[in-house]
Amino acid sequence: MGPGKISMENSLGLKTESETDPLLPASGFASSSSSSNASSAEPSPLIKDDKFFGLSGQDEVLYAGYGGCDFNDVELRMIRAEERRVKEKELVMKLDCWLLPCLVVIYIMNYIDRTAITSARLKGLEHDLHLTDLQFDTVLAALYVSFIPAQIISNMILNRVSRPSFYISCCVILWGLTSACTAVTRNYHDIMLCRIFIGIPEAAFYPGAVFLLSRWYTRKELAFRSAILYFGSLISNAFGSLIAAGILANMEGQLGLSAWRWLFIIEGFVTIVVGVGSMYILPDYPNNTEWLTLEERKLACLRLTEDGGEADKDRSTDSAFRGLIAAISDYKVWIFAVMMFTQLLGLSFTNFFPTLTASLGFSTTISLLLAAPPWIFAAVGSLFNARHADRTGERFFHLSTPWIGTMIGFIIALVTADAGARYVSMFLMAGGKIGFALTLVWVSNVVPRPPAKRAAAIGVVNGLGNLGSLVGAFAWKKVWGPLYHPSMWISLIALMCTTLLAILMRSILIKENKKLDEKENEPLERSERERIQEAATLEGISFREAAARKKGFRYLY
């Protein structure tokens, strides 16, 4: 090491050399207290023109704080670009291997438990409980009485708890227990109570899972990971039918119970086991997940800080209630909510899919087996679609193209009664879920900060949007079968409205980005400077860097 240089080794084990500077103490490091005080207004004395002294090119050191995490050691701000990329890749791979599989399995059980009632209908549930067609439709809709408001409240709670792994897992156990209790129902009132109660813990999962993913993955990683999550829902439509076919065909009369009762007992028990296991697998937040190393937690915070232009952390004034007020005060959130409503109304055939395949004229077992391939097609398609959406950063066409395919499927089913053509139309109809998988991702992209507002926005959009599922429960009346033409007209018109709202949102975001382009070289307003100053303090970086990141933010459309 030549004279006039100092050697530094950070906690990641990365050695760097830097020219000595008269501003630095003899040790070459600024004290943590002085660095934290100076970072909000002036660059750290370790930095000159946003680079560390004596480093350039391949050896350039990325300087950043770790927003959302209370870490102050200056050493860990130095990570060589190349080694940073390697460590970031390892971190993302670790998350992909632990977080995603656990969420997918939970989502499979979530959807199987929620839709088991439609499979049970084919094996005598209505007869045994003495339900009329209207009562059965009401039982389906009863889930959403608790499910819709609970989604908003649950996501607000999730943003405030420090252990989302425990919160989500307890909800999984509760809905598994409630699902199993459905097996002992004897009449209309019993099953109504079960359906209402199961909606409360189930409401925590999907919007909560999307929010949890947004706390770990960047905007251009989120679409594909959310599609993997939704893959669990689509696969559950396929394999849920296969599992139901096996149970309903082989468990009739066992221990004196009807096969449909065994369906709820078995699926509820499996869900409880999954919930217990997820307590030990799901992560919490980047600053407190125990199965990550200290360096990995800091890097996870840093990634989100860089991606959003400010720390992914609520300010002291950002309470859950303020987050809700901020969300419902944003007109874009309401456009998304109406778009979700019409979309779920247009896709409400999902809960009746076994009934649709049964209308082709085959036996119960064959009908359930025929329900699987369309959902496998949709599941695989959602992964390819989301992967391309992440690579391009585009959102609108990746959502609207599958919707158009679904509308074509409805038109085919409306103009022909041929069983083969109608089965092909079911593939196109199921493909509409490919677009749905990215809807909450788009919401998260448009409302990135603060987390309190993002959590509330996701809950509001998904919660109010599920009113579409509530209305859709009455849109597929048995008297309209076996072709269900009125139902398909309702769904077709709803998806047309969804597409128009998506076009409106795209136009709004294009205009918003143009405004951001125009403001990039304008002086900052006082309120903007205060927010950037606070972000810089949270992140432990200079005001200039925080301002540059904030000005570089653009909406994805």
Side-chain angles (χ1 to χ4, degrees), residues 526-545:
R526 181 174 180 179
S527 59
E528 291 178 312
R529 291 185 64 87
E530 290 175 353
R531 288 196 300 269
I532 294 172
Q533 180 77 59
E534 186 168 359
T537 303
L538 286 172
E539 297 170 37
I541 63 175
S542 68
F543 178 87
R544 179 175 57 184
E545 284 185 305

Side-chain angles (χ1 to χ4, degrees), residues 155-309:
N155 249 33
M156 293 169 63
I157 294 172
L158 184 62
N159 185 52
R160 308 307 295 182
V161 300
S162 60
R163 293 288 308 279
S165 59
F166 184 78
Y167 177 77
I168 291 176
S169 298
C170 286
C171 289
V172 175
I173 294 170
L174 285 174
W175 90 56
L177 182 62
T178 308
S179 179
C181 288
T182 308
V184 301
T185 56
R186 298 295 174 185
N187 52 48
Y188 171 66
H189 296 96
D190 289 351
I191 197 168
M192 276 287 288
L193 285 175
C194 282
R195 291 291 288 179
I196 291 172
F197 280 113
I198 200 173
I200 298 173
E202 283 204 359
F205 181 66
Y206 183 57
V210 172
F211 177 69
L212 185 61
L213 290 176
S214 75
R215 295 298 300 267
W216 286 99
Y217 292 102
T218 64
R219 288 181 299 156
K220 289 198 173 183
E221 295 170 344
L222 188 58
F224 182 62
R225 272 70 187 187
S226 295
I228 293 176
L229 167 65
Y230 201 66
F231 179 87
S233 168
L234 298 174
I235 285 296
S236 70
N237 279 297
F239 291 102
S241 297
L242 298 178
I243 293 169
I247 295 173
L248 295 176
N250 296 290
M251 297 298 293
E252 183 66 38
Q254 296 294 322
L255 299 181
L257 297 177
S258 301
W260 69 264
R261 295 186 186 275
W262 278 112
L263 180 66
F264 287 106
I265 293 171
I266 293 171
E267 292 181 352
F269 176 75
V270 173
T271 300
I272 293 171
V273 173
V274 169
V276 173
S278 64
M279 286 187 181
Y280 303 95
I281 299 175
L282 282 177
D284 292 311
Y285 292 127
N287 63 317
N288 67 338
T289 295
E290 295 180 355
W291 49 261
L292 291 178
T293 66
L294 175 65
E295 291 77 18
E296 286 172 333
R297 295 200 298 271
K298 293 181 179 183
L299 182 56
C301 293
L302 168 61
R303 282 162 28 85
L304 296 181
T305 298
E306 293 175 342
D307 181 62

Side-chain angles (χ1 to χ4, degrees), residues 32-269:
S32 60
S33 59
S34 62
S35 66
S36 61
N37 293 333
S39 63
S40 60
E42 295 294 334
S44 164
L46 287 174
I47 300 168
K48 182 176 181 180
D49 295 328
D50 296 334
K51 297 180 182 178
F52 284 81
F53 295 115
L55 298 172
S56 60
Q58 291 280 332
D59 291 328
E60 179 178 340
V61 175
L62 301 183
Y63 163 77
Y66 301 90
C69 302
D70 297 325
F71 303 125
N72 294 316
D73 42 326
V74 178
E75 294 175 307
L76 286 169
R77 296 179 183 178
M78 298 180 298
I79 308 175
R80 282 196 181 93
E82 185 175 351
E83 295 190 44
R84 152 74 187 274
R85 284 191 292 270
V86 171
K87 291 183 179 294
E88 188 167 351
K89 186 176 180 180
E90 291 174 352
L91 172 63
V92 172
M93 181 65 71
K94 195 170 186 177
L95 291 171
D96 288 345
C97 290
W98 285 88
L99 172 59
L100 289 178
C102 185
L103 290 179
V104 167
V105 172
I106 293 175
Y107 206 176
I108 289 174
M109 299 314 303
N110 175 275
Y111 220 78
I112 286 177
D113 287 344
R114 197 190 315 170
T115 59
I117 190 170
T118 58
S119 297
R121 183 188 196 184
L122 302 178
K123 204 66 175 179
L125 178 142
E126 281 182 290
H127 177 267
D128 291 353
L129 300 185
H130 314 291
L131 304 180
T132 65
D133 290 343
L134 178 60
Q135 285 179 326
F136 181 81
D137 290 341
T138 305
V139 166
L140 282 181
L143 169 79
Y144 300 101
V145 172
S146 57
F147 187 74
I148 291 170
Q151 287 197 23
I152 301 172
I153 297 170
S154 176
N155 249 33
M156 293 169 63
I157 294 172
L158 184 62
N159 185 52
R160 308 307 295 182
V161 300
S162 60
R163 293 288 308 279
S165 59
F166 184 78
Y167 177 77
I168 291 176
S169 298
C170 286
C171 289
V172 175
I173 294 170
L174 285 174
W175 90 56
L177 182 62
T178 308
S179 179
C181 288
T182 308
V184 301
T185 56
R186 298 295 174 185
N187 52 48
Y188 171 66
H189 296 96
D190 289 351
I191 197 168
M192 276 287 288
L193 285 175
C194 282
R195 291 291 288 179
I196 291 172
F197 280 113
I198 200 173
I200 298 173
E202 283 204 359
F205 181 66
Y206 183 57
V210 172
F211 177 69
L212 185 61
L213 290 176
S214 75
R215 295 298 300 267
W216 286 99
Y217 292 102
T218 64
R219 288 181 299 156
K220 289 198 173 183
E221 295 170 344
L222 188 58
F224 182 62
R225 272 70 187 187
S226 295
I228 293 176
L229 167 65
Y230 201 66
F231 179 87
S233 168
L234 298 174
I235 285 296
S236 70
N237 279 297
F239 291 102
S241 297
L242 298 178
I243 293 169
I247 295 173
L248 295 176
N250 296 290
M251 297 298 293
E252 183 66 38
Q254 296 294 322
L255 299 181
L257 297 177
S258 301
W260 69 264
R261 295 186 186 275
W262 278 112
L263 180 66
F264 287 106
I265 293 171
I266 293 171
E267 292 181 352
F269 176 75

Side-chain angles (χ1 to χ4, degrees), residues 327-328 330-338 447 453 457 460-461 505:
I328 63 177
D330 189 338
Y331 70 95
K332 294 190 291 294
V333 172
W334 289 104
I335 294 175
F336 274 123
V338 177
V447 190
K453 180 182 178 181
V460 167
V461 170
M505 179 56 67

